[in-house]
Amino acid sequence: MAHSFPTPWQRRFQNGLQTYPEAIAAATCGLLTLLGWLSLAGNWIGSGIWILLAAYVIGGFDSAREGLTTLWQERELDVDLLMIVAAVGAAILGLWQQEYYLLVDGAVLILIFAISGALESIAMHRTERNIRSLMQLAPDRARVISQGQEQMVATQQLQVGDRILIKPGELIPTDGLIQDGHSTVNQAPLTGESIPVEKAMGDEVFAGTINGNGALTVKLHKPPESSLIQRVIRLVEQAKTSAPPSQQFLETFERGYAKVIVGVGLLLAFLPPLLLQWSWETTIYRALIFLVVASPCALMAAIMPTLLSGIARGARQGILFKDGAQLETIGQVQAIAFDKTGTLTTGILQVSDVIPAPSVEANRVLQVAASLEAYSEHPIAEAVVRAAQRQNLSLLPTRAVQAEVGQGISGTLEGTAVRLGKSAFVGANASLAAVGTAAPKTVVEQREPASELRQASQRLEREGKTVIWIGQQQRVLGLLAVADQVRPMAPSLLNNLRQLGIHATVMLTGDNDVTAQTVAQSVGVDTVYANLLPEDKVAAIQQLQQHYHTVAMVGDGINDAPALAQASVGIAMGGAGSDVALETADIVLMADRLEKLEQAIRIGKTSQRIIRQNIAIALTSIALLMIANFLGELTLPAGVLGHEGSTLLVTLNGLRLLRS
């Protein structure tokens, strides 16, 4: 027996039935409403009535079920039930008075309400689809290198310490640090950066980004479930399901408002015939129109579409809002506190100055220092080695390397003793004889370093930099200065924040006052608090809140987490930020790009402006429609169109944030 397989069109139709049942119901209701109207126009009254009643049932079933469920379980009225009551009232009035076109009016009301519900359902489905697409960004298998062999392993089975080979053009399966290779990585799917980012040894790569034209060997430094993409997914899901305080207030307001509307509607239906001798048909008709036009649909749509649009726009630009409440708050911030290391600065030490002694070349100073520091894992040592690599300097063979805690490092290079570290360790030590040889019979007299080097060292220390002296045998070769570099965009960002209406910018740091003041002068913050413990940062935030009420805190470290929690809105640097900071913060700047803060504030301020516009539109529309109804100038279809038109207008006004 031959089997018939569904055609592609049939499969799409079946998928549509399963995915968008509300849209199918709305389309069916629309078709039946049209057929019913045509039947009445053709004087097929009986057929038209049954067709229109079918449109009522198909289009209004979900709204009636939700409204009755709310009434039964929570003893509350909602907008869904108001619409159904108005539509059924129009149908009863039409059948009673044999004004059958009133059935068409009620069907149009249900149709427009069904279309509104279908559009909301489609928007939610697209949000869920976006989350699923995020989940699909990272591949489910990775190429693990073990004992020189390649093996494909499920991503969820990866462990910290595994080495992964990523070939050109492949998706990166999980977060990790590059151990070998150089490439460009397209981070647009995750951080919104339009230009591929250069990645080399020691740099971090993220799951879901796309490797360029170079092979990379990556070592896992965190479990796969802690990767940036997984945190993004959790944050998006949280933002989708949470309602901000303003929306919660409106939802509470809606319940009480609906009761008032029903009460006023009943009074309008019964009092005019008794007191003013109006006809029952006219008063009931006006009461039904009142139920429609007074419904707060437009008011309910004034906030959430706008906030969801702001959240979506932020996500596309690498800004994650954990919920709509923080999108509201960020637009009201009056003061911002910044952590120093990793926030206003890059958090990565770099060689800022190379000052050689007379008759010594700068590259020689850097080469000798890097050759010795290559044996150390200290952050300062890594900065020196990176500086030599950038200058393409080859490392010289070094032996007998030994670290002196708190002083420096020593070893043998080219058969002579070499020392790096503090000036006393390098220049005032009793002997710089070659390590590993017989002890000298006499103490080698040390020459005092040139006065210009001493002056340069003092100047660099006043600038908050760490100074490293380099000595070989009996002479000082020069000195290096290492410092955490200020983010290049930080000064312009702070200036832009002031233009946005931020009244105070503050830096909170546990670093010493000299370094803090140096960084503060470089970036232009208003106030500096140095030598702070985590609890001191919390106290500083509380003090700022007393003066400015709404205060934001930007940080990245574990020690910033308490202050992030205390702030009105906590903002974490997403790439370099600690897991604790990311979990505590309300907003995450994904690409470690501080300038995204300005965009976040702009999105917040724009959303607040649009919400105010929407509320004004909704209230004005309700007032005008109610006035027109009391003057007898409004029909039920016109009331439906005015009511749903204002709802559509505020929704579209909120969605324009996606394009602004």
Side-chain angles (χ1 to χ4, degrees):
M1 180 178 178
H3 295 277
S4 60
F5 295 96
T7 64
W9 184 89
Q10 290 173 327
R11 285 197 296 269
R12 286 195 295 270
F13 180 73
Q14 292 171 356
N15 292 335
L17 286 176
Q18 297 174 357
T19 306
Y20 302 114
E22 297 87 352
I24 299 298
T28 305
C29 177
L31 179 61
L32 292 175
T33 300
L34 177 61
L35 292 176
W37 176 74
L38 292 175
S39 297
L40 294 180
N43 208 29
W44 297 324
I45 305 299
S47 299
I49 291 174
W50 285 108
I51 292 173
L52 289 171
L53 291 178
Y56 277 60
V57 173
I58 294 175
F61 177 78
D62 283 340
S63 295
R65 181 182 59 187
E66 293 177 7
L68 291 173
T69 299
T70 302
L71 180 64
W72 177 260
Q73 294 181 352
E74 304 179 25
R75 301 294 190 269
E76 296 286 355
L77 295 171
D78 63 9
V79 175
D80 295 286
L81 196 57
L82 284 182
M83 293 298 101
I84 295 301
V85 169
V88 172
I92 294 174
L93 186 62
L95 292 173
W96 179 27
Q97 298 291 333
Q98 295 186 353
E99 297 286 344
Y100 298 116
Y101 282 102
L102 287 177
L103 273 76
V104 178
D105 293 349
V108 170
L109 170 59
I110 286 180
L111 171 61
I112 296 177
F113 206 65
I115 292 174
S116 176
L119 292 176
E120 181 181 353
S121 175
I122 291 172
M124 289 299 294
H125 176 75
R126 288 185 174 179
T127 301
E128 294 171 357
R129 187 174 63 187
N130 289 338
I131 294 175
R132 288 196 299 270
S133 67
L134 282 175
M135 295 178 179
Q136 296 169 359
L137 278 178
D140 55 4
R141 298 180 68 81
R143 187 180 290 103
V144 176
I145 302 175
S146 178
Q147 297 179 350
Q149 301 293 323
E150 296 181 14
Q151 181 181 2
M152 297 301 294
V153 176
T155 304
Q156 60 268 27
Q157 296 178 355
L158 295 173
Q159 298 180 353
V160 175
D162 284 347
R163 296 173 68 247
I164 298 174
L165 176 63
I166 304 167
K167 295 184 177 180
E170 289 185 342
L171 281 171
I172 296 174
T174 189
D175 293 7
L177 299 175
I178 297 176
Q179 281 196 319
D180 185 37
H182 177 276
S183 184
T184 57
V185 176
N186 181 2
Q187 299 187 154
L190 189 60
T191 65
E193 294 173 285
S194 58
I195 300 176
V197 180
E198 293 283 341
K199 297 287 185 178
M201 186 174 64
D203 291 336
E204 185 175 17
V205 294
F206 304 111
T209 56
I210 305 168
N211 186 23
N213 55 5
L216 298 174
T217 301
V218 173
K219 182 178 180 180
L220 266 69
H221 65 301
K222 64 178 70 171
E225 61 270 18
S226 299
S227 67
L228 192 56
I229 185 64
Q230 294 299 326
R231 294 200 296 264
V232 171
I233 293 169
R234 290 196 293 269
L235 293 179
V236 172
E237 288 177 332
Q238 182 177 341
K240 184 192 67 153
T241 57
S242 59
S246 57
Q247 183 67 20
Q248 294 174 5
F249 169 78
L250 277 184
E251 290 173 356
T252 303
F253 169 78
E254 174 200 359
R255 304 291 173 86
Y257 182 81
K259 295 176 183 177
V260 173
I261 294 302
V262 170
V264 174
L266 291 174
L267 292 176
L268 291 176
F270 291 101
L271 289 183
L274 299 176
L275 301 179
L276 303 177
Q277 306 302 315
W278 288 15
S279 68
W280 286 100
E281 177 184 353
T282 300
T283 54
I284 292 176
Y285 188 67
R286 290 296 159 201
L288 293 176
I289 296 176
F290 173 79
L291 288 180
V292 173
V293 301
S295 175
C297 289
L299 198 59
M300 296 301 297
I303 295 177
M304 279 309 292
T306 302
L307 295 183
L308 290 175
S309 298
I311 291 172
R313 179 169 179 80
R316 287 196 317 215
Q317 296 185 358
I319 305 166
L320 284 184
F321 298 93
K322 288 190 177 181
D323 57 49
Q326 305 312 324
L327 184 58
E328 289 183 330
T329 306
I330 191 66
Q332 303 166 0
V333 165
Q334 300 296 311
I336 301 179
F338 296 88
D339 173 49
K340 180 182 74 69
T341 305
T343 303
L344 290 175
T345 66
T346 62
I348 301 174
L349 294 178
Q350 295 184 17
V351 174
S352 60
D353 301 87
V354 180
I355 302 178
S359 73
V360 179
E361 294 183 357
N363 281 348
R364 173 64 179 177
V365 175
L366 186 57
Q367 185 181 38
V368 171
S371 299
L372 201 59
E373 294 282 33
Y375 292 87
S376 172
E377 296 181 354
H378 193 280
I380 291 178
E382 294 175 354
V384 174
V385 173
R386 284 196 304 268
Q389 291 173 341
R390 284 195 295 268
Q391 297 294 329
N392 296 318
L393 300 176
S394 59
L395 300 183
L396 303 173
T398 307
R399 297 184 299 106
V401 178
Q402 194 170 17
E404 299 287 342
V405 179
Q407 296 297 319
I409 188 171
S410 62
T412 301
L413 183 148
E414 297 176 337
T416 59
V418 178
R419 287 179 179 268
L420 276 76
K422 295 182 177 179
S423 60
F425 179 71
V426 172
N429 195 274
S431 175
L432 286 176
V435 176
T437 62
K441 295 181 179 180
T442 58
V443 175
V444 179
E445 182 181 356
Q446 299 299 304
R447 295 190 304 170
E448 179 70 17
S451 59
E452 53 265 29
L453 288 181
R454 283 289 182 191
Q455 293 173 1
S457 175
Q458 294 170 0
R459 173 180 57 81
L460 294 171
E461 289 174 349
R462 286 195 300 270
E463 294 174 359
K465 299 177 181 179
T466 300
V467 177
I468 305 169
W469 291 80
I470 302 98
Q472 184 174 18
Q473 200 65 357
Q474 293 96 347
R475 63 181 304 198
V476 173
L477 298 181
L479 54 84
L480 302 175
V482 177
D484 186 6
Q485 301 297 304
V486 170
R487 291 183 184 269
M489 78 293 297
S492 60
L493 168 68
L494 267 66
N495 183 56
N496 292 342
L497 292 179
R498 294 185 185 93
Q499 296 179 7
L500 279 175
I502 303 301
H503 299 311
T505 55
V506 179
M507 187 174 75
L508 308 179
T509 179
D511 212 336
N512 64 78
D513 188 65
V514 173
T515 302
Q517 292 293 342
T518 300
V519 174
Q521 292 175 6
S522 299
V523 299
V525 296
D526 300 323
T527 310
V528 179
Y529 294 88
N531 299 305
L532 299 183
L533 297 174
E535 55 268 30
D536 298 326
K537 291 186 177 182
V538 173
I541 294 294
Q542 292 172 337
Q543 183 180 353
L544 288 171
Q545 288 173 326
Q546 293 176 0
H547 289 86
Y548 300 102
H549 303 293
T550 307
V551 177
M553 168 69 187
V554 189
D556 72 315
I558 294 176
N559 62 336
D560 297 323
L564 291 172
Q566 174 63 39
S568 309
V569 53
I571 305 167
M573 306 294 286
S578 67
D579 290 342
V580 175
L582 294 176
E583 292 297 330
T584 305
D586 305 300
I587 301 173
V588 179
L589 307 181
M590 294 297 301
D592 268 357
R593 294 176 59 184
L594 191 60
E595 67 269 25
K596 295 290 184 181
L597 174 61
E598 178 186 351
Q599 297 179 22
I601 294 175
R602 289 187 183 277
I603 292 174
K605 287 183 176 294
T606 303
S607 68
Q608 292 303 298
R609 184 170 64 251
I610 292 176
I611 287 173
R612 288 193 293 268
Q613 293 172 357
N614 284 346
I615 292 175
I617 292 172
L619 294 177
T620 302
S621 173
I622 291 174
L624 292 177
L625 290 172
M626 290 176 64
I627 292 172
N629 182 40
F630 287 132
L631 294 177
E633 301 295 332
L634 195 66
T635 63
L636 184 58
V640 171
L641 290 175
H643 171 268
E644 296 299 332
S646 62
T647 303
L648 181 61
L649 180 60
V650 298
T651 301
L652 293 177
N653 192 40
L655 293 178
R656 73 184 176 88
L657 187 59
L658 290 171
R659 302 178 56 190
S660 64

